[in-house]
Amino acid sequence: MTLTKETRVTLNDGNTMPILGLGTYAAPDVPKSLAEEAVKTAIDVGYRHIDCAFITGNEMHIGNGIRSKISDGTVKREDIFYTGKLWCTYFSPDMVRKGLERSLRDVGMDYLDLFLMHWPVSLKPSGASDPSDKDKPFIYDNVDICATWEALEACKDAGLVRSLGVSNFNRRQLERILNKPGLKYKPVCNQVECHVYLNQNKLHAYCKSKDIVLVAYSVLGSHRDRNWVDLSLPVLLDDPILNKVAAKYNRSSAEVAMRFILQKGIVVLAKSFTPARIKQNLGVFEFELKPEDMKTLESLDRNLHYGPFREVKQHPEYPFHDEY
Ligand code: NDP
């Protein structure tokens, strides 16, 4: 199938998701106005899928960007696929809807296209009862992921969100949701770190077998924000083999890194706040990697997590103790 920027994948609930999305995470010191401008540029050049999260702290700015493109007539609300994420301090069933309503208010929408459980680990802020307090150190909580999921299902029934999914779940955690007695809606996707150094083949095969779409983040080797990423890890876009393949196609290493994941049937998120790169990254739809080059890129896998979220490593639901 020829991939274009208009290509969408059909989710297991019948809704569709554009195969390329704009990522919006930036370190806290990056001016929020850049996020708003990036969203406007992205919509102007044809992106229709925007990925964000409460914890990113810029839903308001992303929402401003989207709404300004709706009010100038470039797009309609229904053209945009907006993903939000329920932060881990909102997992208790009585807080789930509040977490979603907080995102709806910040982004200025009356529904989200997709809402994800951000990580499978429930947390609570220490010494405060306000789950929106991002600056307080958090402590572990023990809310069952299935209880959170049921509360999310109620939010879909209430029309606040069109599709429900998860992020950073391992196979066992996906199975727990899928095997939950009385399950009403399956997760439509699992959004995970996925790139040439972490190709997620096993998790992808499992998700595919359950009609769950894999959505890849950090495809370009992550934001490399020191708050989340160990900066001694190799810079993915500098990889010599990736660059050799890119030279062969006269493309950037970013385009090849993204194309590799797209050709595996995985939805790609790529973050850029640089207008020229936002446009350049659409070049992924202008070439196709040959099977031998896909094979070469497969060989780069080294199970490398740029964002292992080590702060929750002792949490009973920490997802990366399992092989996948
Ligand atoms: P990416 O792998 O998308 O990389 C982003 C970095 O690549 C930025 O520094 C950007 O720079 C740079 N970049 C973009 N395009 C190019 C290019 N053509 N050439 C060279 N450099 C380029 O990073 P993320 O880790 O941010 O992942 C993408 C998105 O996935 C996030 O923004 C977020 O929406 C989501 N995510 C979800 C997580 C989850 O737990 N569910 C965790 C992490 C991310 P610049 O902006 O300066 O152009």
Side-chain angles (χ1 to χ4, degrees):
M1 187 179 93
T2 308
L3 300 177
T4 71
K5 64 182 192 270
E6 286 80 29
T7 306
R8 301 173 78 101
V9 295
T10 301
L11 306 172
N12 64 35
D13 63 1
N15 294 326
T16 62
M17 172 194 275
I19 52 164
L20 174 64
L22 181 79
T24 58
Y25 176 78
D29 55 341
V30 173
K32 304 285 186 235
S33 57
L34 288 183
E36 182 172 337
E37 289 310 310
V39 167
K40 289 197 231 168
T41 303
I43 292 176
D44 279 338
V45 299
Y47 289 74
R48 294 293 177 265
H49 175 172
I50 315 284
D51 182 79
C52 199
F54 165 76
I55 198 67
T56 312
N58 58 9
E59 280 193 294
M60 219 178 265
H61 306 84
I62 301 299
N64 288 343
I66 295 172
R67 275 182 282 103
S68 86
K69 287 284 115 191
I70 293 174
S71 47
D72 77 5
T74 309
V75 284
K76 300 193 190 71
R77 168 65 186 92
E78 57 268 31
D79 299 328
I80 296 294
F81 187 95
Y82 178 85
T83 302
K85 304 185 193 95
L86 184 73
W87 185 239
C88 310
T89 51
Y90 282 92
F91 279 11
S92 75
D94 58 321
M95 292 307 297
V96 168
R97 183 168 173 147
K98 291 191 178 81
L100 174 52
E101 285 173 339
R102 164 89 200 229
S103 285
L104 287 169
R105 194 186 71 210
D106 285 354
V107 79
M109 293 176 177
D110 53 13
Y111 70 91
L112 300 188
D113 296 278
L114 175 62
F115 199 47
L116 311 179
M117 288 179 72
H118 202 147
W119 285 83
V121 296
S122 66
L123 302 172
K124 54 185 172 190
S126 60
S129 58
D130 183 357
S132 69
D133 198 340
K134 297 175 188 152
D135 300 325
K136 281 252 158 45
F138 48 76
I139 51 176
Y140 295 172
D141 205 354
N142 58 359
V143 181
D144 177 22
I145 52 175
C146 289
T148 309
W149 189 258
E150 276 173 20
L152 283 168
E153 290 179 326
C155 293
K156 177 168 153 98
D157 285 337
L160 302 177
V161 56
R162 299 268 160 98
S163 295
L164 298 174
V166 297
S167 178
N168 301 302
F169 274 44
N170 63 27
R171 175 187 173 139
R172 217 160 30 91
Q173 291 159 336
L174 286 168
E175 271 171 352
R176 288 216 331 262
I177 301 274
L178 294 174
N179 295 334
K180 188 186 87 60
L183 180 73
K184 196 161 184 192
Y185 304 117
K186 278 168 68 164
V188 298
C189 70
N190 188 17
Q191 184 187 120
V192 295
E193 183 175 339
C194 178
H195 41 71
V196 290
Y197 290 157
L198 179 68
N199 66 27
Q200 299 278 19
N201 284 350
K202 289 183 178 167
L203 187 61
H204 184 210
Y206 173 73
C207 286
K208 221 168 147 183
S209 75
K210 301 291 175 194
D211 199 13
I212 293 171
V213 169
L214 203 72
V215 177
Y217 71 73
S218 297
V219 174
L220 304 173
S222 91
H223 41 71
R224 295 186 74 86
D225 170 8
R226 66 181 68 248
N227 294 308
W228 296 89
V229 176
D230 171 1
L231 296 184
S232 68
L233 294 173
V235 176
L236 183 143
L237 294 181
D238 289 350
D239 184 275
I241 293 174
L242 176 65
N243 277 274
K244 208 168 155 194
V245 175
K248 186 170 156 188
Y249 290 85
N250 202 16
R251 293 282 162 181
S252 66
S253 56
E255 287 166 289
V256 171
M258 292 165 67
R259 182 76 205 188
F260 169 69
I261 301 295
L262 282 175
Q263 274 184 226
K264 287 160 71 72
I266 298 173
V267 171
V268 164
L269 302 176
K271 178 265 173 182
S272 177
F273 285 179
T274 312
R277 288 172 170 172
I278 294 171
K279 289 184 199 127
Q280 182 196 74
N281 292 345
L282 289 180
V284 287
F285 299 115
E286 295 165 1
F287 69 107
E288 188 174 343
L289 293 166
K290 296 200 172 75
E292 63 267 28
D293 295 314
M294 288 295 288
K295 208 168 152 206
T296 302
L297 295 170
E298 287 285 352
S299 73
L300 296 182
D301 185 52
R302 54 183 82 165
N303 199 29
L304 186 157
H305 285 260
Y306 283 105
F309 201 5
R310 288 220 174 78
E311 295 86 336
V312 297
K313 214 169 175 178
Q314 307 304 325
H315 194 293
E317 295 285 3
Y318 184 69
F320 307 141
H321 293 313
D322 289 19
E323 186 199 352
Y324 70 99

